Amino acid sequence: MDRLDLRILDQLQHDASLTNQALAERVGLSPSACLKRVRRLKEQGVIQREVAILAPETLGANLHMVVEVTMTRDNKTLYGHFIKQVEAAPEVTQCYQVTGEVDFVLIVSVPNMESYDHFCDRVLDASDNVHKFRTLISRKRTKFETRLPLDI
């Protein structure tokens, strides 16, 4: 991956709806060369998908929680089962297996506390390997960024 690829990725992280023509102009390539690079980046899995980022405040009430999960046993198979449960839960928008005092950190979005209780019953309390979990409720989101820093 060279600096042109990184410039393409930077532009697409900012606005994935750019036309190939506009993208090519911004990075200083011909449209055909730019298109070839974008296709290659997709084939290589560097670009995983293109999405629309929604403004949660425009969609009604929504609570965002950071949930720290501590497992009972440190077991790869049990972790895999828990990860599958989390991946299947639409409320979980992000899941990180971490080091330190907890084993997982989840970012959970729900419309209300009742929905969060149902999530806890269905996913966290239903897992035999979840020892405990701690929920931090976000009062205000002060920064949200999907872009990865690139060394351009």
Side-chain angles (χ1 to χ4, degrees), residues 92-103:
V92 178
T93 60
Q94 298 175 56
C95 174
Y96 301 93
Q97 189 172 353
V98 298
T99 61
E101 294 182 26
V102 300
D103 298 302

Side-chain angles (χ1 to χ4, degrees), residues 14 49-60 62 64 90 93-94 109 141 143-146:
H14 181 69
R49 59 189 171 150
E50 297 175 29
V51 299
I53 298 174
L54 308 178
E57 64 277 1
T58 66
L59 300 171
N62 211 13
H64 302 280
T93 60
Q94 298 175 56
S109 293
R141 182 167 78 178
K143 181 177 181 178
F144 174 79
E145 184 63 60
T146 61

